[in-house]
Amino acid sequence: MNNLEAAFLFGLVFLAVGIIMYFFPPKKINLIYGYKTERAMQSQQNWDLAQKYSSKIMMSLGGLLTILSLLLDLFYWNKTTATITSFVLIGSTIIAIFYLVERKLKKQ
């Protein structure tokens, strides 16, 4: 498995988790399942918004990461470049999920 395949798999995981959370969101604030940050757990209203919005963001960014990693894998990559690219893609996706959801919660 090359590192862009890892980015592809991470994309699929984000996509799958987003779909699961969209159709089966956690109803009550808990420490086991759902988008859990301090701001999301401040109130039931924040919790509900965080679950709904984060699932949509995860589906969108997971799909984007999956497609982008497939497209980038078409090019020749040496191992170092593929590793760096994979880390940047996965890290950027994780940061973007938290940034976008927390920004939405802060505006509420």
Side-chain angles (χ1 to χ4, degrees):
M1 172 189 297
N2 71 35
N3 289 313
L4 286 170
E5 288 172 352
F8 173 78
L9 292 175
F10 265 87
L12 289 179
V13 168
F14 285 129
L15 186 59
V17 169
I19 291 169
I20 291 167
M21 283 183 54
Y22 183 79
F23 289 105
F24 304 102
K27 303 293 183 204
K28 296 181 181 179
I29 299 171
N30 68 79
L31 295 174
I32 298 170
Y33 172 60
Y35 179 88
K36 302 175 293 289
T37 62
E38 190 174 323
R39 184 172 277 134
M41 297 173 76
Q42 281 179 346
S43 68
Q44 188 64 44
Q45 182 181 4
N46 278 9
W47 179 259
D48 294 338
L49 176 63
Q51 305 318 306
K52 184 177 180 180
Y53 192 66
S54 67
S55 66
K56 291 177 183 178
I57 295 295
M58 279 191 263
M59 286 188 289
S60 299
L61 294 180
L64 180 64
L65 178 59
T66 301
I67 292 167
L68 192 55
S69 65
L70 282 174
L71 291 174
L72 290 173
D73 200 33
L74 295 175
F75 299 99
Y76 174 78
W77 294 92
N78 64 38
K79 188 170 178 124
T80 303
T81 305
T83 301
I84 292 169
T85 303
S86 183
F87 280 129
V88 168
L89 288 173
I90 295 167
S92 298
T93 301
I94 293 168
I95 290 168
I97 291 168
F98 281 104
Y99 173 76
L100 293 169
V101 176
E102 292 301 308
R103 186 179 74 176
K104 179 83 168 180
L105 288 172
K106 192 173 183 180
K107 286 182 179 178
Q108 178 176 306

